[in-house]
Amino acid sequence: MPPSSSVVDSAPAPAGPSASALVRAIRGERTDRLPVWFMRQAGRSLPEYRELRVGTHMLDACLTPELAAEITLQPVRRHGVDAGIFFSDIVVPLRLAGIAVEIEPGRGPVFTDPVRTASDVAKIVAVDPEQVAAAAQPIRDAVRIVVGELGDLPLIGFAGAPFTLAAYLVEGGPSKEHLRARAMMHADPESWHALAGWLARVSHAFLRAQTDAGASAVQLFDSWAGSLSVADYRAFVAPHSRAALAGIDTPRIHFGVGTAHLLRDMRLDGTADAVGVDWRTPLDEAAAVLGPDITVQGNIDPALLHAPWHVVEAHVRDVIARGASARAHILNLGHGVPPDTDPDVLTRIVALAHEVSA
Ligand code: 1CP
């Protein structure tokens, strides 16, 4: 042993998910491997998923630990991505809070009792968000199984942002413009803030269950935030999204669709470490707006997954080149994998990203 060389110098590089390319990139390090994963990488694009899901309702699958764990691992094995994203849904914590919700195949989350009036809001916010933590044992069990299997690869936990959850809850199901939720902000701001504050605590408890059980990073999905004006985003939404993420002690990604006008605000004053960008804004432009203190994630156009490979390849190379102007980049799609995607295209994108960055 060399006489006085420090033990730290000669110690092997730290392993485990916290030293993974994904976690380091979210924290702002440029790694020699460009990390890549796909939103909605688990699910209907995979034949092995469709086979496993036969006869099981979506939310029952989410709450059966062995099944949720296996579905989470399927795309990791198949594609060689740099992270798993926990198989669940943004409405799972609402189900855990005792709210009647189902996921209708081909449609999405549907609530038996939409939350539209001041008294509807008063009723729902009377439910203690701690109830979610108490009921989240199947989530913690599933995460533990996944983390055990992933070894050095990180698992990303996730939750829905308060606005995107409210867009479903107030409407009662999927909608295009989320008019009822946006109307509530102005018509009854007190009820809106009570509801959004409660949703923030519910999503926070869901994130906490996942990180307590070993998830190495989290992503907050505000998929429908793009429908908001900047003024409404600042006044009615950002403080609640910040509250959902505050105090989560893993690196944090914040994602929305159609949010070019909101990117700076989506940093949530430093609460987010990375911002997900959809396919409409080139990453070099996004990075210029976001500034040097944040990592960008994205932004392959999901529509191009159906194009011939040479078109996909040129697009992915362009995305990677533009991402180089940010402090760090995580390669992903600009939104989720469309259900009819040929999974082999995703596998080829992963190989290309790793080859380009090697
Ligand atoms: O039967 C089925 O297979 C149902 C389809 C499905 C799946 C596979 C739904 C219904 N949810 C999910 C899983 C899911 N949902 C994941 C899994 C992990 C992964 O990414 O691999 C995640 C992260 C979500 C999160 C989610 N659910 C979001 C945010 C992400 C996004 O795509 O913007 C949203 C908006 C939902 C609501 C939802 N759940 C399901 C559907 C079809 C929808 C969208 C409905 C709509 O268009 O409004």
Side-chain angles (χ1 to χ4, degrees):
M1 203 167 130
S4 66
S5 95
S6 101
V7 175
V8 174
D9 285 347
S10 57
S18 60
S20 63
L22 177 99
V23 169
R24 286 163 60 201
I26 305 175
R27 291 214 162 98
E29 266 182 70
R30 277 267 160 203
T31 55
D32 43 15
R33 179 186 180 94
L34 177 67
V36 50
W37 68 280
F38 303 109
M39 291 180 275
R40 299 288 187 102
Q41 64 190 20
R44 288 166 298 170
S45 66
L46 300 186
E48 58 269 37
Y49 167 81
R50 295 195 295 264
E51 197 178 309
L52 212 54
R53 273 287 319 282
V54 171
T56 309
H57 287 294
M58 174 67 192
L59 290 177
D60 294 336
C62 293
L63 295 171
T64 306
E66 295 74 20
L67 194 52
E70 175 57 22
I71 295 172
T72 303
L73 292 165
Q74 285 178 340
V76 181
R77 290 189 201 112
R78 181 191 264 263
H79 300 309
V81 282
D82 293 285
I85 169 114
F86 183 53
F87 178 78
S88 195
D89 194 82
I90 57 171
V91 300
V92 165
L94 295 169
R95 162 69 76 88
L96 296 177
I99 291 160
V101 53
E102 279 300 343
I103 292 184
E104 283 186 10
R107 184 156 178 236
V110 176
F111 291 87
T112 309
D113 304 307
V115 177
R116 292 190 182 156
T117 64
S119 77
D120 294 339
V121 171
K123 211 167 109 195
I124 201 170
V125 305
V127 176
D128 181 359
E130 278 308 306
Q131 196 173 311
V132 174
Q137 199 52 40
I139 302 301
R140 287 185 287 267
D141 290 345
V143 167
R144 282 200 188 96
I145 298 171
V146 173
V147 168
E149 293 285 325
L150 283 177
D152 289 345
L153 280 180
L155 176 69
I156 303 168
F158 76 91
F163 172 68
T164 288
L165 284 175
Y168 290 104
L169 198 54
V170 179
E171 202 72 39
S175 64
K176 274 223 153 67
E177 315 260 2
H178 325 302
L179 299 178
R180 285 190 166 95
R182 291 194 289 117
M184 188 193 280
M185 294 172 185
H186 294 276
D188 184 357
E190 202 178 319
S191 291
W192 167 262
H193 284 296
L195 178 63
W198 182 81
L199 288 167
R201 292 194 293 282
V202 164
S203 278
H204 183 88
F206 187 55
L207 291 174
R208 236 345 203 294
Q210 296 167 77
T211 57
D212 282 352
S216 298
V218 296
Q219 175 158 316
L220 191 70
F221 283 93
D222 209 351
S223 302
W224 312 139
S227 68
L228 295 157
S229 68
V230 174
D232 284 357
Y233 186 76
R234 285 182 187 156
F236 296 109
V237 172
H240 301 294
S241 295
R242 199 182 306 123
L245 281 176
I248 296 293
D249 56 4
T250 67
R252 297 167 279 199
I253 308 166
H254 188 199
F255 167 76
V257 180
T259 49
H261 60 303
L262 301 176
L263 284 179
R264 273 191 79 79
D265 291 276
M266 287 183 67
R267 298 178 308 167
L268 302 175
D269 298 326
T271 304
D273 304 289
V275 167
V277 181
D278 85 356
W279 64 93
R280 295 174 179 90
T281 310
L283 287 185
D284 49 341
E285 283 178 30
V289 170
L290 283 162
D293 303 324
I294 196 143
T295 297
V296 299
Q297 175 174 278
N299 70 347
I300 299 166
D301 185 344
L304 294 200
L305 298 175
H306 294 278
W309 173 250
H310 72 273
V311 176
V312 179
E313 176 173 356
H315 176 55
V316 171
R317 286 182 184 274
D318 182 59
V319 168
I320 294 172
R322 291 177 189 277
S325 67
R327 72 166 184 182
H329 176 210
I330 301 153
L331 185 65
N332 203 316
L333 303 177
H335 198 182
V337 176
D340 56 349
T341 301
D342 172 1
D344 290 345
V345 176
L346 300 176
T347 310
R348 287 183 83 173
I349 292 174
V350 175
L352 174 64
H354 290 159
E355 180 195 306
V356 171
S357 61

